[in-house]
């Protein structure tokens, strides 16, 4: 006979096994968040904020429209526990947002207006860099105990793995696409000038260095220029 804590552990492990059936990082994160709400006794709402290029913060997945609204407040004003977790701390614990109206005046007020009173925010990493935060919210004051923190850390670890996996897939896709563009550009030069593969590649490299433009962008320009000439 399993006790309540054993059942939560079994539910957590089952969540990990269900990852194989997901088809996107967003779907995986949605599963993680839903499982966090179902498994953590204190958690009523959950979400993941993502830090993208040039400091842009976006809401990647949530379990409720309230979290979307709170994420918008944090992104717009660059304040709140989730933003603070992304930039400064691995774990941000808020026992009562009423006690943080001076610290985060806009966000704390928005949280209280939506009957959100406490939260846990875990910093997520991607390829050694800060990537975002997984955030758990409760309608109760001082809702999160030690057990919730442990469970939250486990779900944050799963979310971080999902983000890293998605990043690596994106990098691989980009590398394959770039290789195809460079290969096409080399073929154009080989046909146009009657040169070999190595010489064609070296010409692309020299053009990239001389113009201070990325190699793949030089190759794409050559393809576009050639295609335009042929169709013009």
């Amino acid at each position: 006979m399993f006790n309540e804590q054993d059942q939560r552990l079994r539910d957590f492990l089952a969540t990990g096994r269900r990852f194989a059936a997901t088809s996107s990082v967003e779907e995986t994160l949605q599963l993680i968040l839903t499982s966090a709400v179902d498994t953590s006794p204190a958690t009523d709402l959950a979400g993941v904020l993502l830090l993208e290029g040039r400091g842009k913060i976006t809401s990647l997945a949530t379990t409720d429209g309230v979290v979307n609204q709170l994420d918008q407040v944090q992104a717009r004003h660059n304040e709140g526990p989730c933003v603070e977790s992304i930039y400064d701390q691995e774990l941000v614990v808020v026992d009562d947002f009423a006690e943080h109206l001076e610290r985060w005046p806009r966000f704390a007020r928005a949280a209280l207006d939506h009957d959100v009173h406490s939260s846990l925010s875990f910093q997520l990493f991607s390829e050694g860099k800060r990537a975002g935060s997984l955030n758990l919210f409760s309608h109760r004051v001082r809702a999160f105990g030690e057990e919730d923190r442990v469970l939250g850390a486990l779900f944050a670890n799963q979310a971080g793995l999902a983000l890293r996996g998605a990043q690596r897939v994106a990098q691989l896709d980009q590398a394959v696409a770039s290789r195809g563009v460079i290969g096409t550009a080399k073929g154009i030069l080989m046909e146009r000038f009657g040169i070999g593969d190595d010489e064609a590649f070296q010409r692309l490299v020299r053009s990239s260095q001389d113009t201070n433009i990325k190699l793949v962008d030089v190759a794409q320009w050559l393809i576009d220029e050639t295609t335009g000439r042929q169709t013009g």
Side-chain angles (χ1 to χ4, degrees), residues 11 14 30 35 40 59-60 62 104-105 115 121-122 125 138 145 165 167 171 174 196 199 208 213-214 216 219 221 229:
D11 291 342
Q30 199 67 52
S35 298
S40 170
S59 183
L60 192 58
T62 65
W104 306 308
D115 194 31
S121 295
F122 300 86
F125 289 84
S138 178
Q167 183 183 54
Q171 289 172 343
Q174 184 177 19
E199 175 61 23
S208 173
I213 298 175
K214 291 181 179 179
V216 67
W221 175 86
R229 180 183 300 176

Side-chain angles (χ1 to χ4, degrees), residues 90-193:
E90 292 185 6
L91 173 63
V92 178
V93 182
V94 178
D95 289 327
D96 186 355
F97 280 111
E99 299 173 352
H100 296 274
L101 288 169
E102 292 186 6
R103 183 181 182 183
W104 306 308
R106 302 174 187 87
F107 178 79
R109 174 49 56 195
L112 293 172
D113 288 345
H114 286 91
D115 194 31
V116 174
H117 294 275
S118 56
S119 69
L120 289 178
S121 295
F122 300 86
Q123 191 178 80
L124 303 179
F125 289 84
S126 181
E127 297 299 328
K129 299 179 180 179
R130 293 169 300 200
S133 61
L134 180 139
N135 309 290
L136 309 180
F137 300 96
S138 178
H139 292 307
R140 292 180 286 125
V141 172
R142 294 175 176 80
F144 295 101
E146 186 61 31
E147 181 181 347
D148 299 295
R149 299 186 191 192
V150 171
L151 286 170
L154 291 173
F155 284 113
N157 182 63
Q158 289 182 327
L161 290 173
L163 287 174
R164 285 194 290 274
Q167 183 183 54
R168 289 171 182 171
V169 168
Q171 289 172 343
L172 179 60
D173 289 344
Q174 184 177 19
V176 170
S178 298
R179 190 176 305 152
V181 169
I182 293 170
T184 301
K186 286 194 301 180
I188 292 172
L189 292 176
M190 291 166 66
E191 181 180 355
R192 182 178 298 178
F193 298 104

Side-chain angles (χ1 to χ4, degrees), residues 49 57 71 74-75 78-88 121 133 135:
L49 274 183
I57 297 173
D71 285 349
Q74 293 195 91
N78 201 36
E79 70 169 45
C82 314
V83 172
E84 193 166 295
S85 177
I86 290 174
Y87 287 111
D88 300 319
S121 295
S133 61
N135 309 290

